[in-house]
Amino acid sequence: MRKLLREILGATKDENFMHIIENIEVIVSKVLSIFMVIVILVAIGDLGIFIFKELFTAPYAKFNTTLYKIFGLFLNVLIALEILENITAYLRRHVFQVELVIVTSLIAVARKIIILDLEKVRGIDIIGLGIAILALSISYLIIRLSNSKNY
């Protein structure tokens, strides 16, 4: 009987500890989401200032080269939004959604490719990016197929 009582009390202590850890995770997630909102707002402001300066001060021929920088800044905002979505999805369900992480990674690699200066990179870097895209795409396909079978 004493052994059973000790096990019950031990389980209660473990449950209390896990409850404290879960509360800490929620607090950290909320703080991260607030910081991410601040980052997104600053990135949007930076994007707006950059577009305004480039549209009204840059010569016409230079705008084509700055277009890639603008795309990169747009994708920075999208990546930040995806990270915020990852955090808020965790707050809702207390589970990391692997599909969102893979999509965020794909956007980040796509951003890297869009702003890539082909004159300054080596062939091995391009091959590495290609392999990363292939691996992420296959991972995304596997996750989507497994999610569609679960529903």
Side-chain angles (χ1 to χ4, degrees):
M1 182 71 172
R2 288 183 186 180
K3 185 177 178 183
L4 180 63
L5 186 60
R6 277 193 301 235
E7 286 180 25
I8 292 172
L9 290 176
T12 304
K13 289 179 184 176
D14 288 344
E15 289 172 14
N16 288 339
F17 177 76
M18 290 308 296
H19 184 68
I20 291 169
I21 294 298
E22 287 173 4
N23 287 338
I24 291 171
E25 287 177 351
V26 168
I27 291 169
V28 169
S29 297
K30 288 179 180 180
V31 169
L32 284 175
S33 64
I34 290 169
F35 286 158
M36 189 53 65
V37 168
I38 293 169
V39 167
I40 290 169
L41 293 175
V42 169
I44 289 172
D46 187 39
L47 175 64
I49 291 169
F50 185 79
I51 289 174
F52 183 78
K53 282 186 353 186
E54 291 303 318
L55 284 178
F56 296 111
T57 61
Y60 176 72
K62 188 182 175 213
F63 185 72
N64 287 338
T65 57
T66 22
L67 193 59
Y68 293 109
K69 292 179 185 175
I70 292 171
F71 288 158
L73 291 173
F74 266 100
L75 288 173
N76 282 345
V77 173
L78 287 177
I79 291 167
L81 283 172
E82 287 294 326
I83 292 171
L84 181 62
E85 178 64 26
N86 289 338
I87 295 169
T88 55
Y90 177 76
L91 282 170
R92 283 187 211 112
R93 298 182 188 101
H94 296 286
V95 174
F96 285 108
Q97 294 185 334
V98 178
E99 184 176 344
L100 282 176
V101 174
I102 292 172
V103 168
T104 306
S105 301
L106 277 169
I107 293 172
V109 174
R111 179 198 174 279
K112 181 68 176 171
I113 290 172
I114 288 172
I115 65 169
L116 194 65
D117 186 359
L118 293 176
E119 296 173 359
K120 295 182 181 177
V121 295
R122 299 174 299 161
I124 193 75
D125 296 330
I126 295 173
I127 291 170
L129 285 172
I131 291 170
I133 289 173
L134 182 64
L136 287 168
S137 299
I138 291 170
S139 300
Y140 182 74
L141 179 65
I142 291 169
I143 297 293
R144 290 292 288 187
L145 290 175
S146 67
N147 284 346
S148 65
K149 288 179 183 177
N150 290 337
Y151 294 115

